[in-house]
Amino acid sequence: MQAVKVAVVGASGYSGEELIRLLARHPGVELVCVTSRQHAGKPLAAVHPRFAGGRFGGVEFAPSDAGSVIASGAAFAFLALPHGLASEFARPLLAGGLRVVDLSADFRLRSAEVYREFYGEEHPAPELLARAVYGMPETHREEIREAELVASPGCYPTSAILPLYPLLERQVLAPATIVINSLSGVSGAGRKAVEDYLFVECNENARAYGLPKHRHLSEIEQELSAAAGAAVRVSFAPHLIPLSRGILTTIHASLAPGVEPGAVGAALEEKYAGERFVRLLGEARFAEIKHVALTNFIEIGWRHDPRTGRVIMSSAEDNLVKGASGQAIQSFNLMTGRAEDEGLV
Amino acid sequence: MQAVKVAVVGASGYSGEELIRLLARHPGVELVCVTSRQHAGKPLAAVHPRFAGGRFGGVEFAPSDAGSVIASGAAFAFLALPHGLASEFARPLLAGGLRVVDLSADFRLRSAEVYREFYGEEHPAPELLARAVYGMPETHREEIREAELVASPGCYPTSAILPLYPLLERQVLAPATIVINSLSGVSGAGRKAVEDYLFVECNENARAYGLPKHRHLSEIEQELSAAAGAAVRVSFAPHLIPLSRGILTTIHASLAPGVEPGAVGAALEEKYAGERFVRLLGEARFAEIKHVALTNFIEIGWRHDPRTGRVIMSSAEDNLVKGASGQAIQSFNLMTGRAEDEGLV
Amino acid sequence: MQAVKVAVVGASGYSGEELIRLLARHPGVELVCVTSRQHAGKPLAAVHPRFAGGRFGGVEFAPSDAGSVIASGAAFAFLALPHGLASEFARPLLAGGLRVVDLSADFRLRSAEVYREFYGEEHPAPELLARAVYGMPETHREEIREAELVASPGCYPTSAILPLYPLLERQVLAPATIVINSLSGVSGAGRKAVEDYLFVECNENARAYGLPKHRHLSEIEQELSAAAGAAVRVSFAPHLIPLSRGILTTIHASLAPGVEPGAVGAALEEKYAGERFVRLLGEARFAEIKHVALTNFIEIGWRHDPRTGRVIMSSAEDNLVKGASGQAIQSFNLMTGRAEDEGLV
Amino acid sequence: MQAVKVAVVGASGYSGEELIRLLARHPGVELVCVTSRQHAGKPLAAVHPRFAGGRFGGVEFAPSDAGSVIASGAAFAFLALPHGLASEFARPLLAGGLRVVDLSADFRLRSAEVYREFYGEEHPAPELLARAVYGMPETHREEIREAELVASPGCYPTSAILPLYPLLERQVLAPATIVINSLSGVSGAGRKAVEDYLFVECNENARAYGLPKHRHLSEIEQELSAAAGAAVRVSFAPHLIPLSRGILTTIHASLAPGVEPGAVGAALEEKYAGERFVRLLGEARFAEIKHVALTNFIEIGWRHDPRTGRVIMSSAEDNLVKGASGQAIQSFNLMTGRAEDEGLV
């Protein structure tokens, strides 16, 4: 199979850098274009020194506009841009015939209204929403294969939706009782020179934030509602903890009336039996970030507490891989007819 | 007021070391005895180099038996020992006329049966349980003043009970809906040479553990039940995160039927208005470990989520200070008629 | 002795915050004024939440000008400002009769020319240089007592000068062979929203920087030259490592011709025998940051390597305490006739 | 080219685990045997959960004896064992016709006497020393190709020898002036349940250790002497800093008499021009661990200080990759006639 000419738009942040790190190991990719507002003209290795001497270290940053991307001959574009900005690229790139995986939030929500509610601004390209597919292969695989525009899921939503999806699909849990607590590494905040994310401010610290209505809640509820076949409202509490990479999510929920505890494992095993990147832990242990760091795996453990009737689930992922760039490549592989794990092992 | 002759039994672990660090700033204390199974005969500074050149650096470790403590002339003993072992000291020390603050779990539970259920062994000194007072000044101040034996609270329970106590006392929350998630620094695991707590195993990692029935759950439920005036069962999920000190606790619970959201702040403010070491944040921000690290403060923030009807609370404390040694000194001050914050500011 | 009315000018950075944390425990101080360019009008606790509920939490930020400081009635000012800016305050404050400890680099160098060489700009107040005393009590104690303007030493220089001073004073080492490597925590870079100091950029990283002519080199050479009674040139390599607080310094140097290895320990012990904050380790162990963190101690270890003829010394300090705010308080205590360790234990 | 049947002996430590992580991406390898004293019978994924679901996750631990390795049909063995123990395997495996890369110190030194001096015990297999090749491809490439037994270099020595080798080979530096300071992540201490390496003991700490005669010094001097064509003695100071992976090394040395500063860059560029894994930084910046972490690269920067006449060099590597398992695979590739970077990019 021929290598696909690929562009990475917005290659200066953590997701863009991670994407290129992963693509450099992908045999089916030729990187023909990287863009950045600030770095046009510089080689990739000048901005990200870890790529010096590597496969793509010499690729030069193009100006950050859709015309440059199209001119590069790329057939495929990954957008690793802030929300709002991604739409500005998606529209002309799609018009130019490229297929697009967007890592921002622009196309994750089906509804422009929900977008307005959670993002506090009008959706920048509502006409594209119907063409976008939510890029979670475990729940939307067939749609992704055919998609021209994939909205790669957010890091928190990935860690929360994957454990819960099969349980809501099969009515194992009582949706109104779901409480999700997530702990994220600081790379989730992006490469922004902001005092809150200085080493000294984050080290030896932890805090909840964005409560009670973090933007990712909209995405979690959309997908869980789809799974349940009914509107689902959940509590979601994100926390910042002192590590660079990784998300650990702990979920409490009550079993639906009349459901036996064993239904939890059964639903997960049935749904994810053949999944390459979902590691089910059963009751043996709870998820740990170190076992998935730098991989595209998510691991999921669970236990039933007979004292309270609640199920406790825990999931762990690398927020930059399964929670962002790795999952985007999973979609790319599906869209281009490749083995789903190509370049990801 | 004359200085009290004090012994610290079990001075080699993190709580014992922190206790001595804090006592060294306390003007009302004379440290006449420190003990340790392994270090008898050595000066304190040889075991804890940070005390070299300081006020107590030259105090010599006595053998680890009650007779040595009594012979030292101490009128007061802090026990910083593993559970089970503390009882072996408490009995003869009380018989010898000393007053005791125990930092272990031995005397925290009113019921020897609950102890057996959660600790998996018979209680080592059930006859002392009735004489012990739970050493949380904000909820048991008057009893502590008169106590001969104080059971200083566990680190997790302190972080969970203080936010919830006034809300259960005033029936603000529906007890059955309470879900507590706590994040702890690694010092909570003690100074034990165990692979799980190696730097490389904890750094860039996070995990839940001890689910669903961590030992501290028994203590949390005991005190919350006392507050509510009825048996309370809660979910409690402890997590290990990569920092040395601190506990961050996030609590989700539904308002009791008919209660207005404003009742949360009202109850907390009424209960803790005059409290020296409770910092109420209201809705302004959520708690952060860095703002309480190395202090005896606990900070508590809260918010109501109208979408789910849940209240979300967050608390932060230093697990070694308010969660252990600082709180123990608070009790000591009360027991000896001192200003409650002496040596703690 | 009456409490001294004190101002802290520039209280928003890490040194200023640490200074206030330490002063809050100092019985001889009344904090009458804090200033900050950005925070005028806010209470201290609004900017530094850890002070809420504490002794000085309610002190309100004054506008950042000398007039406000003088109007506060302060008799003493600590300047915790960037270099260059400190001079603008020192001049009017001295003229207004205040005594000043400056934590910036403005008055550390005797020579305006050396300042120009290392700081790349003209000295902002050369006329004050002759009135300033270098605020290292162990080497300038008597001058400090009488000083109206004290230049508190830099963090790196403190860690390098204290081990070397007695050895150069007594001609124990060959000055031209001195190589100093220092490892600093990230708080040394200040509270600046700069990408290089983000958590993700510093965590799991280490690097040398500022080579070969870091600004602090000028200060190290000035003081070592004074000790040696001759111009001394040394190599100094600072490094950034992933911790918040602390400096570890390792020094290699050859013994001066004909000197026995035992002269190293002899010189250090003679010089520092009575020093309250210098902990000599001999050959027993090397210095560690954790044993001095949050204290005003510096610890110094050394060993002779017969294979190479070199002496290897290591020192550890808390860069914010002995390396900045604690040492400034040591000077304050000397200047105001107090016990040198008041408020520092 | 056919896949080589490979065994990893001692797969429970950090080097062994990293080796397997890297081999799982290597297309030319079939892992037929892993051994461990404690884990015989368990699948790899049970001991290292990060391998669950991956290529080698199901490989079962064999008993830890040479017979089991030979019986597995392996043609090649990596030994990731403590020093001393490696010899016990090397002898029978070589006798059994396997080719061996040993990651321990057993075969790095040419001289059994130097081994005795630095390791404090008799060499366990002196008869094999003459058959072993020092596995640093950049300096011993041709010998490695033909070797039956390769002694893969130590982590510190790799970081020190590579920058210095070409400069001593070309007489650019004065050998007697060399001072090497290295900072290592905690994984360098191995996966040992020892109090010194607990998270709380290493976090927010740094220290020098093993001075003045760390075991790796012998290896550094052996190779530098070979480069210089004369016995070289250097100072080497290792330090432990709070990160998991990586070594940063800073070297000070004087130029040899009459040599121009430009000779430094010239020698490095000539030596390493075609090297796949050596990244020369020139004077542009100093080395940083984050730019080489998880790669097989070493980066090297340098600068001349005209004030002291010294050259300052800095190198960075991942101690588990270029400093251990990656470099071992580099040798494997050479020994088996593969592209040197196969599986390492």
Side-chain angles (χ1 to χ4, degrees), chain D:
Chain D
M1 195 175 290
Q2 232 190 324
V4 180
K5 290 185 179 180
V6 157
V8 173
V9 181
S12 62
Y14 292 131
S15 296
E17 181 178 1
E18 181 69 4
L19 191 53
I20 292 168
R21 191 181 76 84
L22 294 169
L23 291 174
R25 276 199 221 127
H26 196 300
V29 156
E30 185 189 346
L31 184 67
V32 296
C33 179
V34 295
T35 79
S36 156
R37 275 170 299 181
Q38 331 143 43
H39 301 303
K42 294 186 205 162
L44 198 51
V47 175
H48 301 301
R50 66 177 294 115
F51 296 140
R55 184 176 166 203
F56 296 144
V59 177
E60 203 171 277
F61 275 97
S64 190
D65 58 70
S68 301
V69 178
I70 292 169
S72 75
F76 201 100
F78 292 96
L79 308 183
L81 295 162
H83 76 269
L85 196 54
S87 293
E88 295 179 20
F89 280 81
R91 205 184 276 117
L93 294 182
L94 290 168
L98 281 78
R99 297 175 78 190
V100 173
V101 172
D102 175 27
L103 282 84
S104 86
D106 277 8
F107 305 107
R108 293 177 191 157
L109 299 177
R110 314 277 79 212
S111 152
E113 256 173 86
V114 176
Y115 183 92
R116 190 192 313 119
E117 181 190 348
F118 278 83
Y119 287 81
E121 49 198 81
E122 289 303 315
H123 193 281
E127 81 282 7
L128 291 180
L129 290 181
R131 294 163 69 183
V133 169
Y134 192 70
M136 183 175 275
E138 293 79 6
T139 60
H140 295 73
R141 181 168 286 116
E142 295 314 313
E143 298 160 81
I144 293 169
R145 285 194 212 280
E146 308 303 323
E148 50 182 354
L149 172 59
V150 162
S152 214
C155 51
Y156 285 125
T158 300
S159 80
I161 295 166
L162 283 170
L164 286 168
Y165 199 97
L167 304 185
L168 292 182
E169 221 176 12
R170 287 157 182 75
Q171 275 78 45
V172 174
L173 299 178
T177 66
I178 295 173
V179 172
I180 303 165
N181 279 270
S182 289
L183 320 182
S184 174
V186 186
S187 62
R191 185 179 262 140
K192 275 174 297 193
V194 169
E195 195 179 299
D196 274 356
Y197 305 120
L198 291 178
F199 183 87
V200 177
E201 302 304 314
C202 296
N203 185 40
E204 288 291 292
N205 194 26
R207 59 179 167 102
Y209 70 99
L211 287 167
K213 221 174 150 181
H214 186 278
R215 289 166 169 180
H216 282 182
L217 175 57
S218 56
E219 196 180 329
I220 296 171
E221 290 186 342
Q222 168 183 288
E223 295 300 305
L224 295 186
S225 298
V232 168
R233 285 208 158 163
V234 301
S235 286
F236 168 57
H239 299 72
L240 199 69
I241 63 170
L243 44 78
S244 291
R245 283 172 174 257
I247 287 180
L248 186 79
T249 289
T250 301
I251 302 165
H252 286 79
S254 299
L255 285 171
V259 173
E260 290 298 309
V264 174
L268 286 158
E269 276 149 24
E270 190 184 330
K271 181 79 174 180
Y272 295 134
E275 286 298 340
R276 180 70 183 85
F277 294 117
V278 180
R279 191 184 288 157
L280 296 181
L281 307 176
E283 310 205 350
R285 63 174 178 86
F286 276 93
E288 298 195 42
I289 286 172
K290 70 181 171 191
H291 298 320
V292 296
L294 296 152
T295 80
N296 198 48
F297 279 92
I298 180 169
E299 57 180 41
I300 304 173
W302 60 90
R303 209 156 295 181
H304 177 250
D305 180 4
R307 300 174 79 258
T308 62
R310 289 197 185 94
V311 172
I312 309 134
M313 311 185 71
S314 98
S315 75
E317 64 171 28
D318 186 319
N319 61 313
L320 294 178
V321 188
K322 183 60 177 168
S325 305
Q327 189 156 243
I329 292 175
Q330 231 183 317
S331 283
F332 165 83
N333 286 337
L334 288 168
M335 293 165 83
T336 57
R338 289 181 151 67
E340 192 170 326
D341 63 356
E342 193 172 335
L344 291 172
V345 287

Side-chain angles (χ1 to χ4, degrees), chain B residues 21 50 294, chain C residues 18 21-22 245 292-296 318 321:
Chain B
R21 192 181 76 83
R50 66 177 296 115
L294 296 152
Chain C
E18 181 70 5
R21 191 180 76 84
L22 295 169
R245 283 171 175 256
V292 295
L294 296 151
T295 80
N296 198 48
D318 186 317
V321 188

Side-chain angles (χ1 to χ4, degrees), chain A residues 137-217:
Chain A
E138 292 78 5
T139 59
H140 295 73
R141 184 168 285 116
E142 294 315 313
E143 298 160 80
I144 294 169
R145 285 194 213 278
E146 308 303 324
E148 51 183 353
L149 172 59
V150 162
S152 214
C155 50
Y156 285 125
T158 300
S159 79
I161 295 167
L162 283 170
L164 286 169
Y165 199 97
L167 304 185
L168 293 183
E169 222 175 13
R170 286 158 183 74
Q171 275 78 49
V172 173
L173 299 178
T177 65
I178 296 173
V179 172
I180 303 166
N181 279 270
S182 289
L183 319 182
S184 174
V186 187
S187 62
R191 186 179 261 140
K192 277 174 295 193
V194 169
E195 196 179 299
D196 275 355
Y197 305 121
L198 292 177
F199 183 86
V200 177
E201 303 303 316
C202 296
N203 185 39
E204 288 290 294
N205 193 25
R207 59 179 166 101
Y209 71 99
L211 287 168
K213 219 172 151 183
H214 186 278
R215 288 164 169 181
H216 281 181
L217 175 58

